[in-house]
Amino acid sequence: MATPAHHDDELVPSTTEGYKVGDKKTVDEYANLDAGDEALNRWKASLGIGPGAASKAIGDPNDPRKVVILHLALQVPGRPDVIIDLSKEGAVEALNQKPFTIKEGAEYRMKVKFRVQHEVISGLRYLQLVKRKGITVDKSDEMMGSYGPNTESQPVYEKTFASEEAPSGMLARGSYNVLSRFMDDDKVLYLEFKWSFDIKKTWE
């Protein structure tokens, strides 16, 4: 269930001075909003919002979640994707028990598959905090965008994040702990999980 994040937390979305989050509206309210505004209509079309949009959504009415993270993938050029199926029970809790291995200096990136249901999500973000021996070594805040509820014509969304380069050298090798969050502009938390990776000289 989505919950507000703590305001004193180290990992919250960055804010732009003067920016104010708009009022929440239902899908049908967005569909009927300012029909003569061309720019707004283009934005609504990009989210699949139009007359009767709510009736076309495929979300589970018994599932209160608004953003459902289905799977994550660690992608490395020339190697098979490492896929974590988060739809399985206990998958999130098990993530931190089996560290990923990343070869030093390798380029890698994360890819997420997810579903939006019940309402429009504005300013969805992926935040990541990386620590080594309790000290923060990296922090990222990646905007994913705004999304309308999924429909039969687009049952899921996918987002591939920017490539990163693993650190290299003897001092960089070792274990790293990561805290990841999916949040929106309202600082509503949709998913939080901990995982870890080991930087090694080889992939083995």
Side-chain angles (χ1 to χ4, degrees):
M1 182 175 179
T3 56
H6 298 295
H7 292 291
D8 58 353
D9 204 299
E10 188 178 355
L11 191 60
V12 294
S14 58
T15 56
T16 301
E17 188 175 352
Y19 173 74
K20 185 179 179 181
V21 178
D23 295 331
K24 286 286 186 184
K25 293 179 175 62
T26 67
V27 175
D28 281 339
E29 284 174 337
Y30 273 119
N32 297 319
L33 183 66
D34 295 336
D37 187 327
E38 291 187 11
L40 181 60
N41 286 335
R42 286 195 296 271
W43 177 78
K44 290 190 289 186
S46 72
L47 300 181
I49 298 173
S55 64
K56 300 174 184 175
I58 58 172
D60 181 353
N62 298 315
D63 183 353
R65 294 176 297 172
K66 296 178 177 66
V67 177
V68 182
I69 308 301
L70 300 172
H71 86 215
L72 291 169
L74 178 69
Q75 299 183 316
V76 177
R79 295 184 64 84
D81 291 356
V82 178
I83 296 176
I84 308 102
D85 184 354
L86 296 179
S87 65
K88 293 182 178 179
E89 187 176 350
V92 172
E93 293 76 14
L95 262 179
N96 203 32
Q97 299 173 11
K98 190 176 180 181
F100 294 101
T101 294
I102 301 177
K103 182 177 179 290
E104 61 178 357
E107 283 194 13
Y108 67 95
R109 61 185 182 181
M110 301 293 290
K111 180 180 179 180
V112 60
K113 180 184 287 187
F114 62 102
R115 185 174 70 246
V116 172
Q117 53 189 21
H118 309 315
E119 67 180 44
V120 173
I121 300 300
S122 177
L124 185 63
R125 297 168 180 262
Y126 173 71
L127 297 98
Q128 180 174 285
L129 182 71
V130 183
K131 291 188 176 185
R132 187 181 184 200
K133 298 179 180 178
I135 299 173
T136 298
V137 295
D138 187 50
K139 185 177 176 182
S140 58
D141 177 351
E142 185 146 2
M143 174 61 75
M144 295 173 62
S146 298
Y147 299 88
N150 285 104
T151 61
E152 289 185 0
S153 62
Q154 184 164 13
V156 296
Y157 294 114
E158 291 186 348
K159 174 71 175 179
T160 301
F161 301 126
S163 294
E164 299 184 59
E165 183 176 324
S168 58
M170 185 175 66
L171 295 179
R173 294 174 206 145
S175 298
Y176 294 76
N177 297 308
V178 186
L179 173 64
S180 292
R181 285 178 175 166
F182 289 91
M183 302 176 72
D184 67 13
D185 280 344
D186 288 323
K187 297 183 180 178
V188 174
L189 177 64
Y190 296 106
L191 179 67
E192 174 181 284
F193 57 94
K194 294 179 180 179
W195 55 289
S196 59
F197 62 89
D198 295 331
I199 299 295
K200 297 185 176 181
K201 198 169 183 177
T202 68
W203 285 106
E204 301 303 324

